[in-house]
């Protein structure tokens, strides 16, 4: 058989690269991050710990974590030009498009943009991890005619992100749950956005270009946009019976139900969704409001019974964000902000051991003789 006759739609099952960053172990049911199970990490570590683990290759000690937290707090501020550019965008601009634009503007302020060395790229990644939450939160505020909220450098990383989004400092419980969501979104092997970033980086393009391409990829509702679609569906239904009926109607029409199914987790629930489900239950207990939790459980039962599909992270992250008071248009940008550390780590690895991605095609068109 000719190699060009081998074809896997969507590159399903095709190994595209070697990596020491992460791996989805479907046999053990683990999301392996630098050798650790992400779900086990989420029980005792924070998002800042994961930033250090991914970029430095090991978990930080207490002094290193404190130093990283302090360092990140000095990186939040954006050039004034970024805000001016965001103010020029049309009101109907999608939050992911605003994020993409803000990222592109930041590239112009990097005097060493052509330096691909590991040391400079790593410093660039830390800088972007500080600035991207500011773009996410304040681009939405600008588009909705609200004044930007500048960071409070006395707050921890995740609390500061939450504060810029909502305008209020989170309670310890809110901070913990929001931080957990960032941790769970942080890295997930080779989804479309990460692959996009690595393909771009393989041309020796810069980190800003790779991240901008990843934003465009993540915007699609078959990838990051699913969390927004889930929340709109829950709000459209409004009650448990209505949600059950709506799902049944959509299934009868063979419509795709967002928040269910995953290319890797085919026959079980996404373990990250399990953690978010527990977080939703905790929020429901505190607020004594179980409607969204029970609606989601009802939907989970229907989809398992009718389609053999299980929730992915987006299904339970959406109602968690809603109960935290986060605007729906920011669900996907928050996903990207959390995933920035994973994508940056992949770009650093790609630059360090590069081979240009250049696949071939299986041609099925006609051939003409002149």
């Amino acid at each position: 058989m000719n190699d060009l006759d081998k074809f896997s739609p969507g590159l399903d099952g095709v190994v595209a690269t070697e990596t020491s960053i992460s791996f989805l172990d479907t046999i053990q049911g683990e999301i392996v991050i630098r050798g650790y199970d992400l779900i086990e990490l989420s029980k005792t570590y924070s998002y800042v710990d994961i930033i250090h683990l991914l970029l430095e290759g090991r978990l930080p000690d207490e002094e290193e974590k404190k130093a990283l937290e302090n360092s990140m707090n000095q990186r939040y501020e954006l050039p004034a030009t970024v805000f001016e550019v965001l103010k020029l965008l049309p009101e109907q601009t999608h939050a992911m498009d605003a994020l993409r634009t803000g990222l592109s503007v930041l590239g112009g302020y990097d005097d060493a943009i052509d330096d691909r060395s590991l040391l400079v790229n790593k410093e660039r990644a830390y800088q972007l991890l500080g600035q991207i939450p500011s773009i996410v939160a304040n681009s939405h505020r600008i588009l909705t005619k609200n004044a930007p909220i500048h960071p409070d450098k006395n707050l921890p990383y995740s609390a500061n992100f939450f504060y810029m989004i909502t305008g209020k400092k989170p309670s310890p419980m809110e901070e913990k749950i929001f931080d957990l969501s960032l941790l769970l979104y942080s890295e997930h092997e080779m989804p479309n956005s990460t692959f996009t970033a690595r393909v771009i980086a393989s041309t020796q393009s810069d980190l800003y270009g790779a991240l901008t391409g990843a934003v465009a990829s993540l915007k699609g509702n078959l990838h990051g946009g699913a969390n927004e679609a889930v929340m709109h569906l829950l709000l459209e239904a409004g009650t448990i019976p209505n949600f059950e009926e709506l799902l049944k109607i959509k299934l009868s029409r063979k419509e795709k139900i967002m928040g269910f199914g995953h290319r890797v987790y085919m026959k079980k629930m996404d373990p990250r969704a399990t953690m978010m489900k527990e977080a939703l239950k905790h929020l429901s207990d505190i607020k004594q409001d179980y409607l969204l939790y029970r609606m989601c459980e009802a939907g989970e039962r229907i989809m398992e019974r009718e389609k053999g599909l299980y929730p992915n992270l987006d299904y339970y992250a959406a109602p968690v964000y809603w109960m935290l008071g986060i605007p729906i248009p920011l669900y996907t940008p928050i996903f990207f902000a959390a995933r920035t550390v994973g994508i940056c780590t992949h770009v650093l690895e790609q630059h360090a051991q590069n081979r240009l991605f250049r696949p071939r095609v299986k041609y099925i068109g006609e051939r003409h003789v002149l």
Side-chain angles (χ1 to χ4, degrees), residues 8 15 54 59 79 99 140 156 194 247 255 259 262 264 310 330 348:
S8 178
V15 175
L54 283 166
L59 288 165
L99 171 57
H140 180 260
T194 301
L247 290 181
E255 295 180 19
H262 193 282
V264 177
Y310 300 86
L330 289 183
L348 268 60

Side-chain angles (χ1 to χ4, degrees), residues 69-334:
E69 192 89 65
N70 291 336
S71 173
M72 299 295 290
N73 283 350
Q74 305 307 313
R75 302 172 190 264
Y76 282 113
E77 294 293 350
L78 295 170
T81 307
V82 175
F83 292 110
E84 295 305 312
V85 170
L86 292 173
K87 289 176 183 177
L88 296 175
L89 297 176
E91 288 184 29
Q92 67 271 22
T93 300
H94 192 284
M96 288 293 278
D97 295 331
L99 171 57
R100 188 182 65 208
T101 301
L103 257 174
S104 295
V105 175
L106 285 181
Y109 285 89
D110 191 334
D111 294 334
I113 194 168
D114 292 324
D115 190 334
R116 305 285 183 272
S117 67
L118 179 60
L119 184 64
V120 172
N121 251 346
K122 191 180 289 186
E123 174 61 24
R124 190 174 283 129
Y126 282 122
Q127 184 70 32
L128 285 165
L129 280 163
Q131 292 176 317
I132 285 175
S134 293
I135 297 176
V136 167
N138 287 312
S139 62
H140 180 260
R141 295 189 66 81
I142 289 169
L143 289 169
T144 54
K145 305 302 182 184
N146 291 297
I149 295 178
H150 293 279
D152 182 339
K153 295 182 180 180
N154 295 314
L155 291 175
Y157 182 87
S158 296
N160 216 335
F161 192 1
F162 186 93
Y163 165 65
M164 287 188 289
I165 291 169
T166 64
K168 72 182 186 72
K169 296 177 182 178
S171 68
M173 176 273 297
E174 290 172 327
E175 179 184 350
K176 183 177 180 179
I177 289 177
F178 185 64
D179 184 85
L180 173 64
S181 78
L182 299 182
L183 185 153
L184 294 174
Y185 270 127
S186 64
E187 168 57 15
H188 205 231
E189 196 200 78
M190 194 65 77
N192 195 288
S193 54
T194 301
F195 182 55
T196 298
R198 290 196 74 134
V199 170
I200 293 170
S202 78
T203 70
Q204 285 297 300
S205 185
D206 58 80
L207 186 55
Y208 302 94
L211 285 169
T212 300
V215 171
S217 169
L218 195 66
K219 181 184 175 184
N221 62 16
L222 293 183
H223 190 5
N227 49 21
E228 297 177 29
V230 168
M231 198 62 235
H232 285 302
L233 194 64
L234 288 166
L235 293 176
E236 179 185 349
T239 67
I240 296 172
N242 285 352
F243 189 52
E244 292 174 326
E245 183 63 23
L246 186 57
L247 290 181
K248 290 175 183 177
I249 291 172
K250 287 183 174 293
L251 287 173
S252 69
R253 295 173 179 170
K254 302 188 182 303
E255 295 180 19
K256 183 174 179 61
I257 309 296
M258 295 301 174
F260 288 92
H262 193 282
R263 184 72 69 86
V264 177
Y265 309 114
M266 300 293 288
K267 297 182 179 180
K268 59 184 176 181
M269 187 168 173
D270 181 340
R272 301 169 302 166
T274 301
M275 299 300 292
M276 276 290 95
K277 182 178 181 178
E278 292 175 5
L280 180 60
K281 176 61 163 60
H282 189 49
L283 277 170
S284 300
D285 288 338
I286 291 173
K287 296 177 180 293
Q288 286 296 292
D289 180 357
Y290 295 92
L291 177 60
L292 288 175
Y293 182 78
R294 289 168 180 160
M295 286 176 71
C296 286
E297 280 202 316
E300 188 180 333
R301 288 190 294 269
I302 288 175
M303 293 300 291
E304 181 180 359
R305 182 179 68 244
E306 299 295 328
K307 299 291 291 183
L309 293 176
Y310 300 86
N312 55 42
L313 175 55
D314 292 320
Y315 185 66
Y316 278 105
V320 164
Y321 285 162
W322 178 263
M323 293 192 77
L324 287 174
I326 295 173
I328 295 175
L330 289 183
Y331 292 6
T332 308
I334 290 169

